[in-house]
Amino acid sequence: MTLLEQYRLLLALAIGVVGSVFCLYSLARAIGLTRQEPGKDVPASSGALSRDPVWGRYHARYYGYGLLFLAFDMEMAFMYPWAVVYKEVGLVALLDMGVFLAILFLGLLYGWSQGAFRRQ
Amino acid sequence: MSFDSAINITGARQKRPSVLQKLVSRALARNLGCLIVPGPEIALAHGLDVTAAGMRTSTTPRDASVLMIVGELSEKMGDAVAVLYAQMPRPRAILIVGGQTPSTLPGADISAGLSQKGLTEAVVRLQRAFADGAFVASPEAFDADVLHAKIEYVCPMHPEIVEDEPGSCPKCGMDLVAREAGESTPDHDHEHQHHGHKHDHEHEHEHCHDQDHKGHHEHHHGHDHEHSNEHQQEHAHENAAAEYTCPMHPEIVRDEPGSCPKCGMDLVAREDAEDEGASEEGSGHGHNHQHSESDHHSEHEHSGHDHGEHDHGGHKHGGHDHGASGFMSMIEVTKDLPRSADGLQMDWLEVPFGPVFPGLPGGLKLTLTLDGDGVTEGQATSLAGMTIEVEEGEESEEIDVETFIDHLATAMPLAPVSYRLLACLAIEQAAGLNDDQATTQARNGGLERERIASHLGWLAQLGRQLGFAWLTQRASTLQLQVREANRYRLAELEPALRTLGTRLGRTPLLKSRLKDIGELSSEFSDLRGPLARAASEGGDAWARLWQRLAEITASLDLIKASSEPALPSLRDIGDLSGTGEVTVDTPRGEARLSLKLERGKVKSYKLDTPCSHHIDLVPKLVEGQELGDALLAVGSLDLSPWEVIS
Amino acid sequence: MTVASVLLALLGSTWLLAVIEGWMTTGRLSPAAPLFSGLAHLGRESILPRSPDRVFFEAAPVLLLVVGVLGMAVLPLAPDLIIADLGTGALFINAALAYVLVAVIMAGWGPDGAYAMIGGWRFLGQLIAYSMLIVMPITAVAMRAESLLNTAIVGSQAGLWNIVYQPLGFVLFFIAAMALAFRAPFDLPTAEGELGGGVDAEYTGVRLAVLRLARLTLVVTLASATTVFYLGGWHGPLLPPWAWSLVKTLAVAVSMLLVGHYLPRIREADLMRWCWILGIPLALVNIIVVGLLILVVP
Amino acid sequence: MTAVLIVALVTGAILFGIGVYGALSQTNLVMIMMGVELMLAGAMVNLVAFWRFLHPEAYSGQMFVLVVMTVMALEMAVGFGVAIARFRVKGSVEMEEAEDLKG
Amino acid sequence: MYAQAFFVAVFGLAAIGFGVVVFRTSSMVRSALALLFSQTAVGCMFLAMQTEFLGVLQIMMMATEMSIMAIFMVMFMMDPGGLGGMDMSHQKRFSIGAGVSAAVVAIAVALLSDWGPAAKQVVDAEAQTRALGMELLGRSMMIFETAGITILTAMIAATAVAIPVQNLASKRAKEASE
């Protein structure tokens, strides 16, 4: 298979899955429709009928991790091509990546020392 | 067993011609998920094993098809049950085990006695009902008062004015604005409830409209050199400036009319008292480069209505700065909000946990104010607790002693033996009877057995809270076995009970999960029972777990040393009079009962239970905790909402 | 043909997993239970919450299912039993599984309910914790195989499985995979005791059925990935290759369920701290150890 | 053959244009960053198209895309850092309210 | 080859469509996820252009990064749910003008330039990744290491700016003020 044929197959697979889910939905519709009743459509909150919208400014306590993750995550963009040729290149590759990771690790250590690794 | 010829379920679905329906009905019958109200721990305390009866337990109404009500429900729980039932997808049915149907629900589909046998039979009938009647031609509609938003009308300036009808405020003459009645006014007249939904739509409509107005306003404020006449106009407008605030969210303050970003309600005018500094901040040169792109809009389009409100609102003339920049100022939204520990001001949410929440004892309503997934404050109330009139006046009715004992025991479904014993002891003391060695031993045996069962119930609840399925299964099985075991059987179960402790000690993650959660040092005076005893050893949830496990072992030893456990029954007391005050160490701590006996009848009594005190610890325990930790801290108190006396 | 067999294997494994899950919760082993449960879900109403973000609400279960299937599509069951043997297969499965997060956030935000929303945002924190532990162990695997082709990765384990060659990587990957599938003890976004169902809470009827199916599919996919990366894929004596793949996949999937059964839920703060303070350094150590091994042992 | 290149370049140009519009028109720091992300995405499309259709043998083209991706991530990390700091001090990340940042 | 052009165009349209949604919806999470899917479509375009490693990388990185963007949007926007439907933009005309002219200029360059003959074939994904790896360790090694330094700088900058200092001195000052 060429590359494009593979992607087409994957795309077709995804579309097929979506299609079969829709078939399932229409089957369920054929069995019956949802009856509109008071209270039924309010998000369940354990016996209390809380109607207030909750879409507010949410305090994500992990933003310290989040910031470091955004940066640190990029490391793997370089790591995969590196890993593939690692055996071929040998020691130089190890040293290269060692330096790269050591630099990034410094960043992690700095973040840790500044208290980024905690619930804010 | 005989079946009624045709059982229909009240929550059936509308029938549509479909070949699949027969098959689907069968599948539904075989896959009954039941939501237990008030909670699975009550079912276990009554010795009901739902899984063995052939249903699966669901933790949310969304995944349940049977609403199973165990025992009597209080009035407040009736409302909660109606909400839960409404939120279950059809087909759904109601199963009542040992109680009455709450008035908020349609009649029970199946009722059963409070026994495993009754439950099993009921489930068989339910399955049949689902197989036959999951789809009917015209299903009953379900509706209850509690499901409707009540609209009330308040004066934005005088919050104490609350009317049922639209109109104007008797104090200031402003138009009253509509709002959904909150939980703060539960006894509010239901007159307008049926307009609830319609009203919402109207609102939405208005609100779109208002957006337009806001848009035009925006253009007004652009400092655009091409439109110098607009500039003048702006000044004219500013002189008439007032603050606009949302009647429901006082933290929303705007310089222009519009709608509340949180609820979409119209903002109402109010006198701006102290926003000088803040709007100074928000103003300035920011809008200098705000080019007006609105030539095609009529610049004079703002509604007379808005101006009308200004006049009513009583604005402050002059001295107002250029505060109204073109867009809504975020600074103004956030400036009055409380800050979290890290200095960010986010929206706080008030979220109900309970009364039927899988991680908390049923009947306990915990309302947490959440900042992200952290708790800033919390409040616990019991919706199931008994209410005792404490007045000791002459007019209070005399209660027959046996009735009194039964009443007390059934009112506390999580510890019936303890309270039965408490009542017996108090009455006997009032009657002046002396202790009798054999009876005391048997009674103590019963009490200790209940302690074991109760602690096992708590362990199962802990497992539910922690998603620790093994613990829940193991502890529930053991609880069901211990509940009515005799000495011989208890001796058989002893190795299993001890193993449970060792297994828990070896479970990874458990210690890190429980350590330092819900710390209560011994300086709290209100602590009783396991809480007080654990306070000396760290006083966190981890210490409480081990305290309860140690008590299970200790109780086993006590039972071994005493005689056969028995249900306490009252000895013959005759027609004596007197007063008695006794304390019994129930599984949750010392309960105290003092009563006055007159001619063999209970004249008046006073009950003091551990949970009434423990529930007051909740706000302190949850404050500043992560959500899961806060719930765990509340759970580790082992509150029984029934034993909270108000 | 290949597509059909792989999908059949996926469906079969999911079904077996559902049976075992039912066995663990009810104590009854009934092979027909998943079928009846699915039919029952079809028969129940599927409720739409009032004024939700409907696009998100509808898309989330479907996206989760698509992601699970696409992940499975790049994993080989036998040398030639693979739907698409992508040149970057090991990376592709990562990319597909990243959308689990997107689906969970959608499911959390969609219904405008407090429990669901908190669950959705919690899972983002969980991703920040586990994500590096998925990526970095796979790098070490790719180092040994000198390729990102999943078939080449299995091929590189002909002599010695990676679980022996790099046990540290296996442990980290297994834990991270469980966190990705948000099964207990990492079920923070759907915690019943803490969030009353969380992101699952608003789904009913047929949507719930799709969601449950998707979640089980996800477990199978991750188990299959573990098999491919660490357990030597189709390698094994006697049985045909595809059978070995299936047996190993099922064993890993069941062990994921079992581990969850015997552990309490982890705290989110602990999960994040341990993953970053312990997990990432360990993953780096794993890479360096594997690197040295590759250089030293020919 | 060049048809694909043209299609890709046009797409990249339009994405870039949308990004420019977003970055200029939004008042919120985070939204401005979204505009920048879109601009970078447009640039990446162009880079990949150039690599694929003009110089498939020069892998520095791919390397360039990697660097752009890194820049995207880092821009977000620093941008969010600034946003948090700003929000903490002033309670807002609206750029119109950010006089002190303009200097 | 028409198929290739077709798929590039389809995903290009998807990227543009989602890109437009980013600035047209008032719900912030929608906006962030629209950007996510726009970037995903860009990744799919890469795939359609047979640049597999970069495409898959783009699809993966953007899923996590844009989701993190979503939470920051929710944290800092006044009305993340978009319930009020407010307009958070300014200088619309100028921006539209700038955006359109930028796009037009770029399109004009794309259409008017002579790009010369296009390469017919590329090597398969496996070889591409390998070649990229060799590039990384060969000619572009300094770029790679510089990227490391840049990432470090960004990490330090982001942490230093965003994380509140909680050393002893500030804690004491806080206590004193209370």
Side-chain angles (χ1 to χ4, degrees):
Chain A
M1 269 195 285
T2 66
L3 287 183
L4 290 176
E5 277 169 6
Q6 286 182 328
Y7 306 147
R8 248 173 267 162
L9 193 58
L10 288 179
L11 188 66
L13 195 63
I15 293 172
V17 171
V18 174
S20 33
V21 169
F22 271 102
C23 291
L24 210 59
Y25 282 5
S26 26
L27 192 65
R29 265 181 89 87
I31 291 174
L33 291 174
T34 304
R35 192 190 170 104
Q36 289 302 320
E37 284 172 295
K40 190 186 255 181
D41 53 354
V42 177
S45 42
S46 55
L49 201 68
S50 68
R51 291 167 180 276
D52 278 341
V54 299
W55 288 342
R57 285 177 297 111
Y58 182 86
H59 197 159
R61 307 300 185 111
Y62 44 76
Y63 60 77
Y65 292 97
L67 293 175
L68 285 180
F69 177 79
L70 277 176
F72 193 71
D73 196 27
M74 272 325 289
E75 147 252 30
M76 69 205 195
F78 299 98
M79 237 154 127
Y80 277 105
W82 167 82
V84 171
V85 294
Y86 173 75
K87 209 167 181 174
E88 206 176 316
V89 177
L91 194 61
V92 179
L94 185 64
L95 291 179
D96 254 3
M97 192 44 86
V99 172
F100 183 71
L101 289 179
I103 293 171
L104 293 196
F105 207 70
L106 276 182
L108 287 192
L109 286 180
Y110 178 81
W112 190 6
S113 71
Q114 294 298 300
F117 291 170
R118 61 159 191 248
R119 253 174 81 79
Q120 301 294 332
Chain B
M1 225 177 334
S2 71
F3 294 119
D4 332 24
S5 53
I7 324 170
N8 276 339
I9 47 177
T10 42
R13 279 187 86 175
Q14 181 83 42
K15 197 172 200 150
R16 276 178 135 204
S18 162
V19 276
L20 271 172
Q21 263 165 18
K22 199 77 199 161
L23 190 61
V24 164
S25 307
R26 288 233 182 95
L28 280 165
R30 289 189 57 160
N31 195 281
L32 294 180
C34 87
L35 177 71
I36 309 174
V37 176
E41 71 282 355
I42 302 290
L44 281 173
H46 284 300
L48 302 177
D49 186 351
V50 176
T51 320
M55 287 194 286
R56 122 192 105 75
T57 36
S58 306
T59 44
T60 58
R62 297 302 199 192
D63 189 25
S65 44
V66 177
L67 183 73
M68 173 172 158
I69 299 176
V70 182
E72 300 283 346
L73 288 188
S74 68
E75 194 125 315
K76 286 180 199 153
M77 284 296 283
D79 282 352
V81 167
V83 172
L84 290 169
Y85 186 63
Q87 289 177 337
M88 283 163 58
R90 284 166 181 263
R92 57 194 181 195
I94 302 169
L95 167 64
I96 308 268
V97 182
Q100 306 284 316
T101 320
S103 56
T104 46
L105 289 183
D109 293 290
I110 312 277
S111 298
L114 206 54
S115 68
Q116 182 67 24
K117 190 162 168 286
L119 179 66
T120 317
E121 281 176 18
V123 170
V124 173
R125 291 173 62 197
L126 259 180
Q127 283 172 344
R128 208 178 127 89
F130 266 89
D132 289 346
F135 295 88
V136 298
S138 51
E140 275 175 60
F142 171 66
D143 203 349
D145 288 350
V146 64
L147 300 176
H148 293 276
K150 295 145 210 160
I151 299 296
E152 59 190 14
Y153 295 84
V154 289
C155 172
M157 308 275 301
H158 302 98
E160 68 275 17
I161 307 284
V162 179
E163 306 271 346
D164 297 334
E165 306 278 348
S168 55
C169 172
K171 288 198 181 171
C172 59
M174 272 181 74
D175 282 347
L176 297 181
V177 293
R179 73 165 186 205
E180 251 175 32
E183 294 213 310
S184 49
T185 52
D187 51 350
H188 187 71
D189 189 346
H190 296 182
E191 208 175 323
H192 296 278
Q193 53 182 314
H194 293 293
H195 305 298
H197 285 283
K198 202 175 129 224
H199 199 95
D200 278 350
H201 290 303
E202 281 170 16
H203 238 272
E204 216 130 278
H205 216 75
E206 268 175 41
H207 142 83
C208 300
H209 219 67
D210 252 76
Q211 284 305 314
D212 287 352
H213 288 310
K214 193 206 76 192
H216 300 310
H217 258 275
E218 238 172 72
H219 309 313
H220 263 291
H221 292 279
H223 282 232
D224 203 342
H225 298 297
E226 291 164 25
H227 298 277
S228 51
N229 59 332
E230 190 194 327
H231 202 77
Q232 284 170 2
Q233 170 121 40
E234 185 190 353
H235 274 295
H237 176 71
E238 264 166 14
N239 285 344
E243 264 184 10
Y244 292 83
T245 177
C246 172
M248 289 193 57
H249 300 98
E251 68 273 20
I252 304 285
V253 180
R254 296 279 188 287
D255 285 348
E256 323 179 12
S259 55
C260 171
K262 288 194 177 175
C263 58
M265 281 181 66
D266 289 359
L267 300 182
V268 293
R270 103 176 165 200
E271 203 164 355
D272 55 346
E274 17 69 277
D275 73 325
E276 297 282 338
S279 31
E280 197 92 48
E281 216 174 41
S283 79
H285 329 290
H287 41 267
N288 276 344
H289 57 129
Q290 197 184 6
H291 299 270
S292 167
E293 71 275 17
S294 61
D295 310 50
H296 54 284
H297 284 309
S298 160
E299 298 296 338
H300 302 272
E301 215 182 271
H302 45 170
S303 67
H305 172 73
D306 286 348
H307 281 300
E309 274 203 350
H310 292 191
D311 292 338
H312 285 299
H315 39 69
K316 190 168 138 190
H317 283 275
H320 195 71
D321 62 3
H322 296 236
S325 43
F327 48 88
M328 298 186 189
S329 165
M330 181 90 163
I331 291 175
E332 305 218 337
V333 179
T334 52
K335 70 177 174 173
D336 294 329
L337 293 184
R339 273 171 185 263
S340 319
D342 62 342
L344 299 183
Q345 297 148 314
M346 296 290 153
D347 288 335
W348 291 9
L349 270 182
E350 202 171 87
V351 183
F353 289 84
V356 184
F357 186 72
L360 291 171
L364 182 74
K365 182 172 182 179
L366 186 66
T367 310
L368 298 179
T369 308
L370 294 179
D371 174 25
D373 63 355
V375 179
T376 49
E377 56 181 332
Q379 210 65 49
T381 45
S382 161
L383 299 190
M386 67 190 287
T387 326
I388 291 184
E389 316 80 56
V390 256
E391 75 254 43
E392 301 190 11
E394 297 302 307
E395 67 274 15
S396 62
E397 250 178 78
E398 295 183 344
I399 318 167
D400 184 56
V401 281
E402 293 290 346
T403 327
F404 175 71
I405 293 172
D406 281 343
H407 167 68
L408 206 57
T410 46
M412 312 291 186
L414 287 177
V417 179
S418 312
Y419 284 91
R420 182 177 287 275
L421 176 64
L422 184 68
C424 290
L425 285 177
I427 292 168
E428 282 167 11
Q429 198 195 43
L433 290 187
N434 285 328
D435 283 356
D436 157 23
Q437 186 73 30
T439 329
T440 314
Q441 276 213 349
R443 284 172 170 182
N444 280 345
L447 180 65
E448 296 305 325
R449 187 177 64 187
E450 187 179 76
R451 191 187 312 282
I452 300 175
S454 170
H455 286 347
L456 285 170
W458 176 78
L459 281 171
Q461 181 67 22
L462 180 75
R464 247 171 253 129
Q465 202 169 29
L466 290 177
F468 189 178
W470 174 81
L471 177 61
T472 308
Q473 283 177 5
R474 194 79 201 107
S476 331
T477 319
L478 283 172
Q479 187 189 3
L480 286 172
Q481 286 169 347
V482 165
R483 227 180 122 254
E484 280 177 342
N486 54 24
R487 276 179 77 194
Y488 175 68
R489 183 87 186 94
L490 277 173
E492 271 183 355
L493 287 172
E494 191 177 341
L497 288 169
R498 290 186 194 272
T499 324
L500 185 66
T502 12
R503 284 289 290 271
L504 285 179
R506 284 207 297 258
T507 303
L509 293 181
L510 190 60
K511 187 171 181 184
S512 75
R513 183 73 222 230
L514 295 177
K515 203 83 186 132
D516 301 328
I517 300 296
E519 263 181 286
L520 290 170
S521 57
S522 41
E523 52 205 67
F524 285 91
S525 51
D526 291 353
L527 300 184
R528 296 188 185 181
L531 264 59
R533 290 188 284 267
S536 53
E537 284 147 49
D540 53 9
W542 179 245
R544 270 168 239 152
L545 169 71
W546 286 100
Q547 177 62 36
R548 293 199 173 101
L549 286 172
E551 282 179 20
I552 290 179
T553 324
S555 296
L556 279 174
D557 293 340
L558 275 174
I559 294 174
K560 255 192 264 174
S562 69
S563 57
E564 189 63 39
L567 265 186
S569 56
L570 190 62
R571 287 180 283 164
D572 186 24
I573 52 161
D575 278 354
L576 294 169
S577 304
T579 56
E581 178 173 349
V582 286
T583 306
V584 164
D585 187 17
T586 71
R588 288 174 185 76
E590 296 80 16
R592 197 170 295 117
L593 175 68
S594 51
L595 54 71
K596 207 153 119 199
L597 209 58
E598 259 182 38
R599 293 179 303 280
K601 308 237 178 203
V602 178
K603 178 79 179 151
S604 64
Y605 67 98
K606 208 172 148 186
L607 184 61
D608 178 41
T609 57
C611 291
S612 325
H613 299 274
H614 290 166
I615 200 169
D616 296 333
L617 299 169
V618 169
K620 203 173 215 80
L621 280 183
V622 298
E623 200 188 312
Q625 299 289 318
E626 197 258 345
L627 173 60
D629 293 352
L631 289 170
L632 204 52
V634 176
S636 73
L637 295 180
D638 194 11
L639 291 172
S640 157
W642 281 265
E643 294 169 38
V644 176
I645 291 168
S646 49
Chain C
M1 191 56 211
T2 318
V3 177
S5 352
V6 173
L7 288 185
L8 200 67
L10 180 62
L11 212 60
S13 315
T14 311
W15 171 72
L16 262 175
L17 216 54
V19 171
I20 290 169
E21 199 185 22
W23 186 21
M24 271 163 37
T25 46
T26 62
R28 278 188 294 268
L29 188 64
S30 82
L35 184 71
F36 280 111
S37 160
L39 271 175
H41 279 311
L42 272 185
R44 293 203 186 100
E45 285 177 330
S46 194
I47 302 168
L48 258 188
R50 133 215 93 139
S51 66
D53 197 325
R54 190 160 171 188
V55 180
F56 283 9
F57 187 74
E58 301 276 15
V62 186
L63 181 60
L64 205 58
L65 187 61
V66 168
V67 160
V69 174
L70 281 188
M72 195 66 194
V74 299
L75 293 168
L77 289 178
D80 49 358
L81 198 61
I82 174 168
I83 294 181
D85 192 11
L86 290 184
T88 53
L91 184 63
F92 182 86
I93 184 156
N94 255 331
L97 293 177
Y99 285 79
V100 172
L101 165 76
V102 180
V104 172
I105 286 183
M106 282 175 156
W109 185 260
D112 197 6
Y115 298 161
M117 185 185 74
I118 295 171
W121 293 132
R122 266 182 165 198
F123 190 63
L124 180 57
Q126 192 165 322
L127 165 113
I128 291 174
Y130 73 70
S131 180
M132 296 314 294
L133 300 188
I134 292 268
V135 170
M136 292 167 87
I138 292 183
T139 314
V141 169
M143 279 162 75
R144 187 179 175 209
E146 290 188 85
S147 171
L148 293 173
L149 281 169
N150 283 331
T151 40
I153 286 175
V154 178
S156 75
Q157 302 175 59
L160 187 66
W161 293 0
N162 270 338
I163 188 172
V164 186
Y165 196 81
Q166 32 188 314
L168 188 57
F170 170 75
V171 172
L172 293 175
F173 185 83
F174 185 78
I175 292 173
M178 275 173 67
L180 204 168
F182 52 112
R183 306 290 314 190
F186 301 102
D187 56 344
L188 288 161
T190 56
E192 277 178 343
E194 289 173 19
L195 291 174
V199 293
D200 285 357
E202 295 309 321
Y203 286 96
T204 43
V206 65
R207 292 190 184 90
L208 183 63
V210 173
L211 188 70
R212 294 239 165 109
L213 176 69
R215 289 195 59 187
L216 281 178
T217 310
L218 198 60
V219 176
V220 175
T221 303
L222 281 162
S224 181
T226 316
T227 309
V228 166
F229 293 149
Y230 290 98
L231 298 180
W234 60 73
H235 292 300
L238 297 177
L239 291 177
W242 60 268
W244 270 115
S245 285
L246 280 186
V247 166
K248 288 175 190 171
T249 302
L250 274 174
V252 175
V254 169
S255 64
M256 280 182 178
L257 292 193
L258 277 181
V259 168
H261 193 70
Y262 289 104
L263 283 181
R265 186 179 305 118
I266 193 168
R267 295 166 69 188
E268 189 175 37
D270 285 346
L271 174 67
M272 299 191 77
R273 213 180 57 241
W274 293 339
C275 279
W276 279 78
I277 290 176
L278 208 65
I280 289 181
L282 281 181
L284 288 176
V285 167
N286 178 48
I287 288 177
I288 290 168
V289 168
V290 171
L292 288 175
L293 273 178
I294 289 173
L295 290 185
V296 174
V297 186
Chain D
M1 243 354 231
T2 16
V4 191
L5 174 63
I6 298 292
V7 167
L9 290 186
V10 168
T11 311
I14 296 176
L15 278 179
F16 187 82
I18 299 173
V20 168
Y21 162 74
L24 289 177
S25 73
Q26 298 299 310
T27 57
N28 191 295
L29 179 58
V30 191
M31 288 296 277
I32 292 173
M33 280 162 59
M34 293 190 134
V36 177
E37 299 280 311
L38 270 179
M39 284 157 72
L40 289 175
M44 284 199 305
V45 172
N46 283 10
L47 286 174
V48 169
F50 287 145
W51 173 82
R52 165 65 182 82
F53 296 107
L54 299 182
H55 296 287
E57 73 293 337
Y59 279 86
S60 43
Q62 289 213 7
M63 193 67 209
F64 201 176
V65 179
L66 274 189
V67 171
V68 174
M69 258 187 219
T70 314
V71 167
M72 251 166 123
L74 300 188
E75 170 242 351
M76 280 169 75
V78 177
F80 292 142
V82 172
I84 292 169
R86 219 192 125 63
F87 195 86
R88 182 172 289 126
V89 178
K90 296 209 80 172
S92 168
V93 292
E94 298 294 324
M95 290 318 282
E96 303 244 322
E97 297 169 9
E99 258 63 64
D100 54 339
L101 272 189
K102 289 206 173 124
Chain E
M1 278 311 113
Y2 288 114
Q4 190 178 26
F6 172 75
F7 280 112
V8 171
V10 165
F11 286 119
L13 281 180
I16 291 167
F18 280 119
V20 170
V21 171
V22 171
F23 300 110
R24 288 196 56 92
T25 172
S26 53
S27 161
M28 290 308 123
V29 179
R30 266 196 192 196
S31 182
L33 291 200
L35 183 60
L36 192 165
F37 286 114
S38 177
Q39 303 278 12
T40 307
V42 167
C44 292
M45 283 173 77
F46 293 1
L47 289 185
M49 289 191 277
Q50 291 150 304
T51 316
E52 185 171 304
F53 178 76
L54 291 180
V56 176
L57 192 68
Q58 165 88 357
I59 291 174
M60 170 170 70
M61 299 300 255
M62 291 309 144
T64 49
E65 283 176 14
M66 297 301 147
S67 303
I68 293 176
M69 177 169 245
I71 188 66
F72 280 107
M73 298 274 286
V74 168
M75 280 172 89
F76 298 134
M77 296 300 268
M78 183 160 18
D79 176 21
L83 297 168
M86 49 176 128
D87 186 19
M88 303 290 287
S89 59
H90 62 167
Q91 47 185 7
K92 260 210 169 102
R93 277 182 138 205
F94 170 66
S95 318
I96 291 178
V100 169
S101 42
V104 165
V105 168
I107 291 174
V109 171
L111 292 179
L112 298 179
S113 309
D114 174 25
W115 295 111
K120 288 240 182 307
Q121 276 305 325
V122 284
V123 291
D124 67 354
E126 170 74 2
Q128 276 183 39
T129 319
R130 190 168 289 278
L132 185 58
M134 292 314 266
E135 172 83 22
L136 202 69
L137 292 174
R139 227 151 51 95
S140 304
M141 199 206 289
M142 283 324 286
I143 299 180
F144 162 56
E145 296 295 346
T146 315
I149 304 277
T150 321
I151 294 177
L152 172 69
T153 321
M155 276 162 121
I156 291 179
T159 317
V161 170
I163 307 298
V165 193
Q166 287 203 334
N167 52 19
L168 272 174
S170 72
K171 210 180 242 173
R172 253 187 241 122
K174 208 173 171 187
E175 274 158 20
S177 69
E178 279 164 8

